[in-house]
Amino acid sequence: MGAGSVASLVLAGVLVAVLGATWLMVRRLQSAQRRAAGESARAREWAHAETARLRGELDRREERLAEELRRVRALEEETAGRAAELARERAAVRELEAGRRAALERVAGLSAESARAEIVREAESEARREAAVSVREIERTAKAEADGRAREIIAGAIQRLASEQTAETVVSVFRLPGEDMKGRIIGREGRNIRAFEAVTGVNLIVDDTPESVQLSCFDPVRRETARLTLETLVADGRIHPVRIEEVHERSRAEVERLCVRAGEDALLAARVGEMAPELVRLLGTLRYRTSYGQNVLGHLVESAHIGGMMADELGVDAALVRRAALLHDIGKALTHEVEGSHAAIGAELARRHGESSEVVHAIEAHHGEVDPKTVEAVLTQAADACSGGRPGARREAVETYVRRLERLEEIAAAHDGVSKVFAMQAGREVRVMVRPEVVDDLRAQVIAREVAKRVAQELTYPGQIRITVVRESRVTAVAR
């Protein structure tokens, strides 16, 4: 067989295979078309059935909605009828009310507004009187129950404490070993005294007072540093600008050490536990500060003792009260450096150095700038008042004292019905004499409260001031 015959046979086999595959694919396509036609017919049947079901459901819903619409319209018609009937009834009531008011006005001879105002005035007057009577009864009962116990606690705390106070001023007197030392302190052409004042920030007053000079400065810590500096210079005998600077640096370190030591001693004396080192140092600086002549650090220790004893009597946490009382004036150590009241400054200082919220609140509330919310804060207030207000604890200038007494009498005399005013017991009590024909008992209580409020707002004073209003009626008859 030749090559051409083989090629023909191969080509014929390929054609047969292609024709077979084509026929097979045609059969498969025909089968797929038949299945697709069946599926399409079934889908059309399902779609027709579902459409019929949905149409039936929609028809039923339309019927229900139509029924609901008919019912709503019926209710609207019924409501409109009731509203019209209610409007007619309201109009009738208003007509009856107007007729009744007109009849009452004809009978009483007053308009409705006048009668209402008269009733309101009578009710207010009666309410005020009843409130005043209730307040007086409550105050009487509270005083009867509390005064005795309060006196026992405060008197017991005060009499158990005996502390010494020193009165310092802004001037310290330094004694010299001889009159010739003044010339050496002044130096040639005044260079020593100028250097001393420039380095220490303290005025050095050299006058005719024999064998003494004066150190004047508003800052007691700076004044004490200058005093130690001058003491060392006078004892050494070498006084010149360089030496002054050297001695002043050592004196400042010594005063710093003394402040820390004083703060630690105050913690031990007040039986208070550990405290932040910065608070201890600031507490110690208060040994050089005074308030109305009372040493501030001594006042704090004394307040801590008084507060602790009162807390023991009342069953309160005495350690917490002592800590709050010891720190209540800590803000005075920074008052000249930071703006604000010493209570607010002290509270922020204690908060910044990790003191508890109870101690912080007691510090910021001890002068009434914030209302006290805890027993510890109230006891801190009481301890501060007892320490500062006890006789002999503080002093003040005579002019300031006289002006305060005059202002006390002016405030009390400004009220109607007051006949005489007397400031007594060094200004700690004000007695107000009123005219009984003008001022009744309730008005006397109002005068006492108003005077006390104005005194608290306008005046600055240690401790507390008692306002006593005296109303007395006297009847005299003569038998002949």
Side-chain angles (χ1 to χ4, degrees):
M1 182 179 297
S5 298
V6 173
S8 298
L9 289 175
V10 172
L11 180 61
V14 170
L15 289 173
V16 169
V18 169
L19 289 174
T22 302
W23 179 81
L24 182 60
M25 290 177 64
V26 169
R27 292 295 301 272
R28 289 178 178 175
L29 287 174
Q30 289 176 352
S31 177
Q33 286 177 353
R34 287 193 297 273
R35 287 196 302 271
E39 291 291 336
S40 177
R42 287 193 296 273
R44 283 195 298 270
E45 292 176 0
W46 179 83
H48 288 313
E50 187 67 19
T51 302
R53 186 183 66 79
L54 292 176
R55 285 178 179 174
E57 184 68 23
L58 289 175
D59 291 339
R60 288 191 295 273
R61 289 185 179 182
E62 287 179 357
E63 291 177 0
R64 287 197 298 269
L65 289 175
E67 182 65 24
E68 291 291 335
L69 182 60
R70 287 191 295 272
R71 189 179 297 111
V72 169
R73 287 177 178 173
L75 289 174
E76 288 180 351
E77 294 176 356
E78 183 181 356
T79 302
R82 290 183 178 180
E85 183 180 357
L86 182 60
R88 290 192 296 271
E89 290 179 354
R90 285 179 177 174
V93 169
R94 283 195 294 270
E95 292 178 359
L96 291 175
E97 182 67 20
R100 186 177 67 84
R101 186 181 296 110
L104 288 175
E105 291 178 358
R106 286 195 301 272
V107 172
L110 294 173
S111 64
E113 290 75 11
S114 301
R116 187 180 298 108
E118 184 65 25
I119 293 173
V120 169
R121 281 195 297 271
E122 292 180 359
E124 288 179 351
S125 177
E126 184 65 22
R128 287 196 186 96
R129 182 169 293 276
E130 291 180 357
V133 172
S134 300
V135 168
R136 183 171 59 184
E137 182 63 24
I138 292 171
E139 287 182 349
R140 185 189 64 79
T141 304
K143 286 182 179 180
E145 295 177 354
D147 280 355
R149 180 61 175 160
R151 287 193 182 96
E152 290 178 4
I153 293 173
I154 294 175
I158 291 295
Q159 71 182 1
R160 289 171 58 190
L161 179 71
S163 62
E164 180 181 3
Q165 302 295 343
T166 58
E168 297 184 10
T169 63
V170 297
V171 177
S172 297
V173 178
F174 183 80
R175 296 296 176 182
L176 300 175
E179 194 68 18
D180 59 335
M181 186 59 68
K182 290 183 179 180
R184 300 176 64 181
I185 292 174
I186 296 173
R188 182 180 300 175
E189 297 179 355
R191 66 170 187 170
N192 289 346
I193 191 172
R194 286 197 301 270
F196 183 89
E197 293 180 346
V199 171
T200 62
V202 176
N203 292 327
L204 182 59
I205 303 173
V206 181
D207 54 14
D208 296 335
T209 306
E211 297 183 354
S212 66
V213 294
Q214 295 181 357
L215 299 169
S216 176
C217 181
F218 72 94
D219 189 336
V221 177
R222 193 186 303 169
R223 191 172 65 248
E224 177 64 14
T225 304
R227 189 192 67 80
L228 290 178
T229 302
L230 185 59
E231 181 180 6
T232 304
L233 291 172
V234 170
D236 183 58
R238 294 177 297 166
I239 304 177
H240 52 83
V242 177
R243 179 66 176 166
I244 291 173
E245 293 181 3
E246 295 175 357
V247 174
H248 179 260
E249 287 298 325
R250 290 201 298 269
S251 299
R252 187 164 57 183
E254 178 66 15
V255 170
E256 188 80 11
R257 187 187 64 79
L258 292 175
C259 289
V260 174
R261 179 63 180 273
E264 294 172 349
D265 292 343
L267 295 183
L268 292 175
R271 300 199 306 274
V272 174
E274 294 183 356
M275 193 175 293
E278 181 63 16
L279 289 182
V280 175
R281 185 187 68 81
L282 292 174
L283 196 64
T285 62
L286 294 177
R287 67 174 292 191
Y288 300 112
R289 296 188 181 274
T290 60
S291 177
Y292 295 98
Q294 184 181 29
N295 183 269
V296 176
L297 184 58
H299 163 65
L300 294 181
V301 174
E302 181 179 347
S303 299
H305 288 310
I306 295 174
M309 287 185 284
M310 290 193 292
D312 288 333
E313 293 291 335
L314 295 174
V316 184
D317 188 353
L320 181 61
V321 174
R322 284 197 301 270
R323 193 176 190 90
L326 183 65
L327 291 174
H328 76 269
D329 276 345
I330 190 69
K332 289 184 177 180
L334 297 178
T335 302
H336 66 291
E337 300 173 0
V338 182
E339 293 184 358
S341 66
H342 74 274
I345 295 171
E348 180 59 30
L349 193 64
R351 184 183 295 110
R352 191 165 63 244
H353 288 88
E355 291 295 326
S356 64
S357 58
E358 292 84 359
V359 172
V360 172
H361 173 66
I363 293 173
E364 65 183 356
H366 81 274
H367 271 324
E369 298 173 6
V370 176
D371 292 334
K373 299 178 182 178
T374 62
V375 178
E376 291 80 7
V378 175
L379 288 178
T380 301
Q381 278 187 339
D384 179 33
C386 290
S387 176
R390 65 179 178 81
R394 296 184 174 183
R395 62 167 178 79
E396 56 184 329
V398 176
E399 294 181 359
T400 305
Y401 169 74
V402 173
R403 283 198 301 269
R404 191 178 77 224
L405 295 185
E406 292 176 349
R407 185 55 184 159
L408 283 173
E409 295 183 351
E410 290 175 1
I411 291 174
H415 290 77
D416 295 334
V418 175
S419 60
K420 295 180 181 179
V421 180
F422 302 101
M424 308 177 66
Q425 296 183 5
R428 299 187 182 279
E429 181 178 359
V430 179
R431 294 194 181 179
V432 184
M433 309 295 181
V434 297
R435 295 193 293 273
E437 68 276 7
V438 177
V439 179
D440 58 7
D441 290 341
L442 298 180
R443 178 58 183 165
Q445 292 186 3
V446 173
I447 290 176
R449 292 195 185 93
E450 290 179 353
V451 172
K453 184 177 180 180
R454 286 194 61 188
V455 168
Q457 291 175 347
E458 298 181 13
L459 299 182
T460 301
Y461 49 89
Q464 63 183 10
I465 298 177
R466 181 186 301 275
I467 311 298
T468 303
V469 178
V470 179
R471 178 179 180 270
E472 182 181 16
S473 299
R474 294 187 182 184
V475 178
T476 304
V478 179
R480 298 185 182 277

